Each structure stands twice: as C-alpha cells, then as structure tokens.
Amino acid sequence: AARWASMELGSRAFFGAAPRDVIGDVVNHVNLCAADALEALERQLCEEQVADARGVKLGIDQFHLKLTRTVDGTMEKFEEYALRNIFLVPEDLALPEADDQFDEQQPAAPVAVLDEDLVRLAERIERAICVRRALVVELRELRAQSVFQQAYAPALA
C-alpha cells in the first residue's frame, strides 16, 4: 500500500505553489465575486429606486455580513476538504520542482511540424477562396445569360 503525504503544511510546492496559497487565492476570489455582486445589486436597487439609497445601503451591508459569515464557514470546510482529499500525494511520487517544470524547453520539432501544417492549411484555404471567387463570377455570368435567354426566348422562337 502506498503511503500518502499530506501537503497541508505547504512544505512541498504543488506545481509551483503551496496548497494553502492556492486555497487562499480561491477564497479571496470567492469573496471578491460576492462583493462585486453585492455592489451591482446595490446600484441596481438604487437605480430602480426600490427604497431610498440609505435604506438600500443599510440592507446590502447587513446582507453582506450574513453572506460573509456563510461564505467563510463554507470556505473553511472547502479548505479542510481540499487539504485532506485534493492535495494528497503519494510520498514516493516525485513532484517537479517549481523551477524545473517551467524552465524546460520543449523540443522544437513538434512546433515546426505544426507550423508546416498550418502553412499548408493556409495555402489550401487560399486556393479554396480563389476557386470560390471564380465560381461566384461564373455563376453570376450564367445567371445573367439565363435572364437574357428567358427575356428574349419568346422573340427568337
């Protein structure tokens, strides 16, 4: 059975970041989103003049306090869950060091192959566009001839 090491203390970086830092960023983002939503709600209520601006501000502030308490409790549970269940890595699994994983140069061959494929594809597209333009011109000419023939067919018969 593999032994599992908790990354709870942040002693090992996980893809260049300590787990607590990642979780902290998530919590901060949730709080910022909630604050932005409440500010937008306050502006909307003031614009619609549902109540006086002072009353709206007071109500939003009270709601913000309740929301913050709820979000904080939920985020604490999320942090506990994440540290127990997400940031667990087998002790024998070697994670790349923060400097190693981003500094390695990828081989140029795949990029060159992709570039060649893109050039060939662009050339095919350009040829298809030229063919389409020629066909559109030919179609217009044929339509004009058809209209001409239909207009003068009775006189020629």
Side-chain angles (χ1 to χ4, degrees):
R3 295 180 57 205
W4 296 86
S6 173
M7 300 187 67
E8 178 178 352
L9 300 177
S11 59
R12 294 172 62 190
F14 188 76
F15 293 100
R20 287 205 185 269
D21 293 341
V22 172
I23 293 169
D25 288 345
V26 170
V27 170
N28 289 338
H29 187 71
V30 167
N31 287 329
L32 288 173
C33 288
D36 288 347
L38 289 176
E39 286 176 17
L41 177 62
E42 183 178 347
R43 278 194 309 274
Q44 186 66 33
L45 291 174
C46 287
E47 286 175 9
E48 293 178 4
Q49 298 177 347
V50 174
D52 65 329
R54 187 170 167 249
V56 168
K57 174 87 172 132
L58 182 62
I60 293 293
D61 288 344
Q62 290 174 348
F63 181 68
H64 187 253
L65 283 173
K66 290 180 181 183
L67 182 65
T68 300
R69 286 186 200 125
T70 303
V71 168
D72 286 347
T74 303
M75 289 290 100
E76 285 176 14
K77 291 175 185 173
F78 165 73
E79 181 177 6
E80 290 172 16
Y81 175 84
L83 290 175
R84 266 185 287 138
N85 299 303
I86 297 173
F87 293 106
L88 289 177
V89 180
E91 285 183 353
D92 58 343
L93 179 68
L95 293 176
E97 294 298 322
D99 297 335
D100 294 342
Q101 67 182 355
F102 298 111
D103 291 340
E104 291 181 20
Q105 294 293 327
Q106 295 294 327
V111 173
V113 169
L114 286 175
D115 287 343
E116 290 172 10
D117 288 345
L118 287 173
V119 168
R120 282 194 301 272
L121 184 59
E123 290 169 351
R124 285 182 55 200
I125 290 171
E126 188 62 35
R127 284 193 302 271
I129 289 171
C130 290
V131 168
R132 182 186 179 280
R133 286 180 185 148
L135 289 172
V136 167
V137 169
E138 187 178 343
L139 179 63
R140 286 182 184 149
E141 290 172 357
L142 290 172
R143 284 183 178 162
Q145 287 176 3
S146 174
V147 168
F148 179 77
Q149 287 174 352
Q150 287 175 358
Y152 292 105
L156 297 174

